[in-house]
Amino acid sequence: MDQSALPDCTPASLDVEAALAQVLDALTPLPGSEQIALDLALGRVLAQPLVAAMDLQPWPNSAMDGYAFAVSDLDQALAKGLALAGTSMAGHPFTGTLDPGECVRILTGAILPAGCDTVAMQEHVAVHGDQIRLTANVPRGANVRAPGEDVRTGSVVLPAGTRLGPPQIALAAALGQARVVVNHRPRVALFTSGDELTPLGQPLAAGAIYDSNRYLLRAMLQQMGMPVIDLGIVADDPDAVRSAFAAARAQADVVISSGGVSVGDADYVREVFSEFGDIHFWRIAMKPGRPLAFGRLDETWFFGLPGNPVSTAVTFLEFVRPALCRLEGEPLTAPLRVELPLLEPLRKAPGRMDFQRGIVAIDKDGRPGVRSAGPQGSHVMSSLAAANCLLVLPAASGDLPAGSLVEVELLPWTGTPAAHGQP
Ligand code: AMP
Ligand code: MG
């Protein structure tokens, strides 16, 4: 086809920040929320703030195994001792009443008996039959967890827009919240395009490759907990791309494709999308990456990612991931980037912003630093698999000597950075 008929890729490159800002400005959170059981809520985004319906701790209780008493009896406790009146264990309160000069054996988490305000840890007590004597001074309120010390009734513990991870779920559970109201998740359809792409399980014809990007995209989406509609491999043929896009639009809030968005003869994704008005084709000043299509057709958002596997991964992480978070109603937070010293010199050509595959590792003196994960070609998947971070290097930067501070963005699938071994 006549490529000149297509809307041009912006001839000048667009900065990563500018492109991301355009994407995020265009998006608003999807409407709708649902109430779900807390045990199904991992990874979901709160639609309403979580307000504490009770105090945490709900009761004054002991932080130690020891003895509970009233601090007004401190002098007697240090001199002749206090009489043991009973025991308070977690789940088994002491139900009697305490007379002056008495104390209660108390275990961690047990409710503080009425009349007591202080707990002496058992290491600071000498026991003589039913008498206990303090061997050290104990300040008022020692070892007591006050009601509401952690969370007060009526306070907002998690604002709307919080993504629920394990500690947020635990906090909701501690407050007795068996159900939570969460935002709808975007439904995401994906397809890969290219005549060379072969499904797994089939032999490779000459010049063919296995379709790894569909696995990559699906896995990244699954890790975000997004419902995925996998439309498979689409041939380099305008009608095939057209019908894939039509199928995707009918079912999904977001369509992601990989491949076919540059200006080659077989890049029909670009050709087909240019039939739909509101789509931008950008040349992003980044490496890897570069061509990126973004647009909207009615209620469906579209991301056309480049086909080289590392470009697919990086453009997904830098553009699609924040977009999906925004659609799900998570307030925007910039990716967490920290500065670490280079453990080795690094090659970087000035001109574009680099997202180099890196490894955060511990140097021989036990200090964290970062080094390259290997060859940086946008087709090199082994260095992506070896990496635990991206080194985010500004466009103007050239080669960097060891010791230079560089910005590091941990890859979201990285559990423990140092687990990747020593430099
Ligand atoms: P394209 O963006 O279609 O020009 O593709 C750029 C490069 O990425 C080519 O070498 C393709 O073979 C490769 N590629 C495209 N799609 C995939 C895919 N789904 N899995 C792995 N490699 C791909
Ligand atoms: Mg292609």
Side-chain angles (χ1 to χ4, degrees):
M1 79 163 282
D2 176 12
Q3 293 287 339
S4 62
L6 295 178
D8 194 13
C9 268
T10 320
S13 293
L14 191 61
D15 281 350
V16 173
E17 293 85 354
L20 180 61
Q22 284 204 42
V23 169
L24 296 177
D25 283 353
L27 301 171
T28 45
L30 296 175
S33 60
E34 56 186 320
Q35 198 187 66
I36 60 170
L38 185 62
D39 50 4
L40 298 177
L42 179 65
R44 301 296 296 264
V45 171
L46 281 181
Q48 299 169 357
L50 186 73
V51 178
M54 56 180 268
D55 275 354
L56 194 61
Q57 310 281 313
W59 322 102
N61 69 85
S62 180
M64 290 282 175
D65 292 345
Y67 294 86
F69 63 102
V71 83
S72 51
D73 283 342
L74 183 64
D75 290 344
Q76 181 181 337
L78 285 163
K80 73 180 233 262
L82 304 175
L84 200 54
T87 303
S88 180
M89 295 194 293
H92 302 280
F94 171 77
T95 49
T97 44
L98 274 191
D99 290 328
E102 287 185 335
C103 69
V104 167
R105 169 77 173 139
I106 193 162
L107 299 175
T108 305
I111 187 169
L112 204 68
C116 296
D117 54 18
T118 303
V119 171
M121 56 197 282
Q122 61 195 22
E123 291 80 353
H124 294 161
V125 164
V127 182
H128 308 283
D130 276 356
Q131 283 289 118
I132 68 112
R133 196 174 53 77
L134 293 194
T135 55
N137 204 345
V138 182
R140 176 193 291 273
N143 304 314
V144 173
R145 301 168 180 155
E149 180 186 306
D150 186 355
V151 172
R152 289 222 173 269
T153 305
S155 62
V156 173
V157 278
L158 300 171
T162 301
R163 196 175 285 280
L164 298 171
Q168 293 77 25
I169 287 183
L171 187 54
L175 293 165
Q177 201 80 38
R179 302 181 71 76
V180 281
V181 182
V182 294
N183 291 332
H184 280 151
R185 286 190 141 153
R187 293 159 304 162
V188 185
L190 65 91
F191 64 89
T192 48
S193 76
D195 282 350
E196 74 280 34
L197 302 179
T198 308
L200 299 191
Q202 290 185 15
L204 282 185
I209 56 170
Y210 286 118
D211 173 18
S212 58
N213 283 352
R214 209 149 42 83
Y215 286 82
L216 170 72
L217 288 168
R218 206 166 46 198
M220 291 192 292
L221 290 163
Q222 282 169 342
Q223 205 180 36
M224 294 181 72
M226 298 294 166
V228 178
I229 303 157
D230 186 344
L231 297 171
I233 300 171
V234 175
D236 283 324
D237 164 69
D239 284 336
V241 175
R242 222 170 263 127
S243 47
F245 195 50
R249 276 182 64 203
Q251 311 172 59
D253 302 300
V254 178
V255 184
I256 303 172
S257 68
S258 95
V261 280
S262 33
V263 286
D265 289 344
D267 289 329
Y268 293 110
V269 171
R270 185 168 145 72
E271 179 189 327
V272 168
F273 286 132
S274 32
E275 294 165 9
F276 308 109
D278 201 9
I279 290 188
H280 309 274
F281 298 91
W282 288 323
R283 275 174 75 219
I284 314 276
M286 69 190 287
K287 201 174 151 193
R290 205 140 227 196
L292 178 74
F294 166 66
R296 175 185 186 149
L297 190 57
D298 302 328
E299 295 306 307
T300 306
W301 296 98
F302 166 66
F303 289 90
L305 308 184
N308 273 306
V310 184
S311 309
T312 309
V314 172
T315 48
F316 179 92
L317 293 173
E318 299 304 319
F319 299 103
V320 183
R321 201 169 192 274
L324 293 174
C325 291
R326 175 127 174 86
L327 288 173
E328 202 184 350
E330 198 177 17
L332 296 174
T333 46
L336 180 62
R337 292 178 184 159
V338 294
E339 279 191 334
L340 282 176
L342 282 177
L343 297 167
E344 295 165 359
L346 195 75
R347 307 222 44 132
K348 155 86 173 69
R352 289 194 263 165
M353 190 169 186
D354 269 19
F355 292 84
Q356 293 200 14
R357 283 141 272 173
I359 298 180
V360 174
I362 305 301
D363 72 10
K364 57 184 179 337
D365 302 317
R367 281 189 290 264
V370 70
R371 63 186 165 87
S372 171
Q376 297 289 326
S378 58
H379 60 294
V380 180
M381 298 175 71
S382 50
S383 59
L384 183 62
N388 60 17
C389 69
L390 295 175
L391 312 184
V392 185
L393 307 168
S397 166
D399 290 345
L400 293 164
S404 311
L405 286 178
V406 292
E407 286 212 313
V408 172
E409 188 179 309
L410 288 183
L411 289 166
W413 48 83
T414 304
T416 45
H420 284 257
Q422 306 292 315

